[in-house]
DNA sequence: GTGTCATGCGTAT
DNA sequence: TACGCCTGACACG
């Protein structure tokens, strides 16, 4: 489930286990063999996330850049370690912990300048930039007529939001996905930013995306909700809105589906 | 078993 | 706008 909260959570949990340790690195699948050989036996200084990107900083300035794409997954393993699956792109291990990475769209060794170039392409990250993000968001959307639903997936605009958070944040703020970005009032963008901060933080803490409010699900607590009860709009086309009962609808924006409630998120 | 789709993104056309 | 990349879950026969 790789939206931004997943990468921040990975940085935190993996860092707790591996930061400061001497690391054995390998690439059973083979596509990162050269990179793994370079960092093998060196010390992992820190793991940092920004948007959907993850950076492993090793001593000597070497950085492994990981982007999970649509399919990438981490597994955190403890002894006895299972046989590494042959599609493991990268294994980072100590005697007590192992990170297993499979299916990433990017796993590459970068020098610090290249890392900066990746970061420069990214907009504010709700988890890292809670304070000034709203202002940066408002500035970057001021002259853009693309739908707000398209803007939220553009990582230059906001770093870390994916298709689930897009649908859910638009619902929570009551915005129709096709409203032109430059027509969204600054107060609404401000509220949208605050919601992004709250929701991504909650996702980082819990490891799952739960946006529904207790009042809309019979006052049950977040942890008591099963799959299919945690979201308002994402993938719920044809089902009743949890707030007003209207059927959720969907459409395509730039090749990605977006879902919304036509009543709670009216077209203007 | 096969086919489809997916929480993403870069590049080519 | 289309395609390629990377994997896993699920629907269907």
């Amino acid at each position: 489930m790789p939206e931004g909260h997943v990468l921040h959570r990975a940085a935190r949990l993996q860092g707790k286990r591996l930061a400061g340790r001497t690391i054995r690195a390998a690439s059973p699948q083979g596509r990162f063999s050269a990179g793994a050989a370079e960092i093998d036996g060196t010390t992992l200084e820190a793991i940092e996330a920004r948007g959907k990107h993850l950076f492993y900083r090793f001593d000597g300035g070497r950085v492994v850049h990981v982007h999970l794409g649509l399919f990438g997954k981490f597994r955190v393993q403890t002894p006895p370690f299972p046989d590494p699956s042959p599609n493991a792109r990268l294994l980072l291990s100590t005697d007590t912990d192992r990170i297993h990475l499979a299916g990433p769209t990017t796993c590459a060794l970068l020098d610090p300048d290249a890392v900066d170039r990746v970061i420069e392409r990214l907009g504010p990250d709700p988890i890292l930039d809670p304070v000034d993000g709203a202002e940066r968001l408002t500035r970057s959307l001021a002259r853009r007529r693309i739908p707000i639903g398209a803007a939220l997936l553009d990582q230059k605009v906001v770093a870390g939001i994916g298709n689930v958070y897009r649908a859910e944040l638009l619902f929570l703020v009551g915005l129709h996905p096709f409203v032109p970005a430059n027509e969204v009032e600054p107060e609404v963008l401000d509220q949208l930013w605050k919601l992004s901060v709250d929701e991504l933080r909650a996702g980082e803490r819990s490891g799952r995306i739960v946006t529904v409010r207790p009042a809309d699900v019979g006052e049950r607590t977040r942890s008591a909700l099963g799959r299919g009860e945690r979201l308002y709009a994402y993938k719920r086309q044809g089902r009743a809105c949890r707030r007003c009962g209207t059927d959720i609808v969907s459409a395509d924006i730039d090749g990605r589906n977006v879902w919304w409630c036509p009543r709670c998120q009216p077209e203007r």
Side-chain angles (χ1 to χ4, degrees), chain A residues 101-179:
Chain A
L101 170 65
T105 204
T106 300
C107 176
L109 205 53
L110 298 186
D111 62 44
D113 284 350
V115 172
D116 289 345
R117 287 195 294 276
V118 172
I119 290 174
E120 278 165 18
R121 296 200 315 258
L122 300 174
D125 176 323
I127 290 180
L128 296 177
D129 311 305
V131 177
D132 67 342
E135 190 193 326
R136 294 169 63 187
L137 177 66
T138 304
R139 220 181 310 130
S140 77
L141 294 183
R143 290 206 298 273
R144 303 202 59 182
R145 290 167 56 175
I146 59 170
I148 185 67
L152 290 184
L153 282 193
D154 182 343
Q155 302 297 299
K156 294 189 295 298
V157 173
V158 187
I161 290 179
N163 211 12
V164 180
Y165 279 122
R166 163 171 75 169
E168 297 302 302
L169 292 166
L170 288 172
F171 177 89
L172 290 170
V173 79
L175 263 179
H176 190 288
F178 285 92
V179 171

Side-chain angles (χ1 to χ4, degrees), chain A residues 177-239:
Chain A
F178 285 92
V179 171
N182 61 340
E183 292 178 17
V184 181
E185 298 80 357
E187 314 84 77
V188 177
L189 288 181
D190 194 59
Q191 198 194 345
L192 180 62
W193 182 261
K194 287 187 173 122
L195 284 164
S196 308
V197 173
D198 291 347
E199 295 302 325
L200 267 85
R201 276 184 178 162
E204 194 276 339
R205 281 194 300 270
S206 69
R208 54 174 67 146
I209 304 177
V210 183
T211 56
V212 292
R213 307 308 194 226
D216 294 315
V217 283
E219 297 298 342
R220 284 182 299 154
T221 59
R222 287 189 164 204
S223 52
L225 298 170
R227 281 170 111 71
E229 299 183 301
R230 297 169 182 161
L231 305 174
Y232 285 108
Y234 178 75
K235 271 193 181 169
R236 295 196 70 244
Q237 73 272 23
R239 316 216 16 224

Side-chain angles (χ1 to χ4, degrees), chain A residues 3-18:
Chain A
E3 299 196 25
H5 67 301
V6 169
L7 285 303
H8 283 281
R9 183 175 172 87
R12 177 168 62 83
L13 297 179
Q14 294 179 24
K16 211 188 292 184
R17 291 168 177 275
L18 296 185

